[in-house]
Amino acid sequence: MVLEKLGESLHNALAKIFKSSMVDKKLVKELVIDIQRALLQADVNVKLVFEISRRIEERALNEKVPPGISRREHILKVVYEELTRFLGEKPKPLNLKPKGVNLLMLVGIQGSGKTTTAAKLARYYQKRGFKTALICSDTYRPGALAQLRQLAEKINVPVYGDEAEKDPVKIVKDGVEKFKGYDLIIIDTSGRHKEEKGLIEEMKKLEEAIKPDEVMLVIDGTIGQQAAVQAEAFNKATPIGSIFVSKLDGSARGGGALSSVAAIGAPIKFIGTGEKLDDIEPFVPSRFVGRLLGLGDLKGLVEKVREAEVKVPEKDVKAFLSGKFTLYDMYKQFESLRKVGPLGKLLKMIPGFAYGLPEETLELAEKRLDRWKAIIESMTVEERVNPKIFNASRIRRVARGSGTSEAEVRELLKQYNLMRKMMKSLRRKRLPFFKGGFMPR
Ligand code: GDP
Ligand code: MG
């Protein structure tokens, strides 16, 4: 999935910053080029890519770094802010009047997901206490009305349509008349037409005649940069107030869909993430960028990075990552990581780790750390460096010496082996973290 790939290449780009010992101009330029490449590969519009990267470079190089945060953190912040900016800064829900009826007109080409989206939105606002109704003004697609009815039935929302009527304006006017007293009426318009110009014409006529409160363009997230072309064409006919990007669950070429937003300056308000009616999410740019970068909580990461910078010596990190680590190294790593907060949570915030250290190992490590320490301290140096030599009698001796049980010693050895294996496979995949460590230092 391209979105994931974009996230991964952005990771890699940022990883460089965290990996190198010094952040200088050359490194920033490299970062900017990496980000450009990542965005271009994700099909983001070229002009936009240059605009974004120009701003990142300019800010990363020239802005004064506020006291108390490192240059690295500042760069992370700049990248995050600029990516968020280009998606629109704040989440923007529909601007619904509390009194009177709100008309929302959905436009978009056939197959973009309009009918499904109409029902999803009806459901979304119905759940939030709005009295919602649907109108089908698609007079071209056979069975359009039946499709909408079928979806609406599941959610108990009334539908108006008239298959005998060929004038969409009349249908909508009749429907609005019928649904007097409703809070929100969503209009599912036609997508197919003999020719695209005709479709755009029809949307223009409809918009002028019914004056909807908002026109929302539904764009198929899988079409890539075509989204921009489509958005512009529709926007010429009727000023697009907002965008719904559908099908972001599948093989979405999200970058292209994002470009379309910037191209016409309308915000993405929702995204569709599946075929079911509950597969709808309000679009929150900052959350989206966070997801792209693979950072659950960026602010939290920045804070933890700062704390960890002091506490985890580089030498240890290297040993940890090299995979040639001994039992005692493993223990030391867990211990120093524990100091900066709940282990599992911290590791999940570090890109790269998100790709799959065994969760149970982390949880166990957190719980058993003290006992593991005792066990490891009861081992001979040879045992620590070469745990392969453990046999039943050694295990018994260590258990007795540390005041633990043989089962616990076995468990520690098992976790150790699991981690070794995991690290080996991670290094094979050449993930950024393990290439040299996207790691606080
Ligand atoms: P319309 O021609 O614009 O009205 O599009 P439809 O609503 O008929 O949808 C076309 C196809 O896309 C249908 O098979 C829908 O189930 C599917 N679809 C719509 N939205 C989504 C979505 O968010 N995710 C996925 N996976 N499929 C969707
Ligand atoms: Mg339809």
Side-chain angles (χ1 to χ4, degrees), residues 2 41 93 138 169 253 259 288 332-333 373 379 394:
V2 172
Q41 271 171 5
D138 185 347
V169 173
R253 303 172 76 188
S259 319
F288 186 76
K332 267 200 309 191
Q333 288 316 315
K373 185 175 179 192
M379 293 175 183
R394 282 179 190 265

Side-chain angles (χ1 to χ4, degrees), residues 130-165:
F130 290 87
K131 204 171 164 201
T132 308
L134 287 158
I135 296 175
C136 172
S137 78
D138 185 347
T139 52
Y140 285 86
R141 186 173 181 170
L145 180 58
Q147 187 198 357
L148 187 63
R149 282 227 157 95
Q150 199 195 356
L151 292 171
E153 226 164 61
K154 294 187 206 160
I155 53 175
N156 256 323
V157 169
V159 175
Y160 179 79
D162 181 355
E163 270 180 328
E165 178 58 63

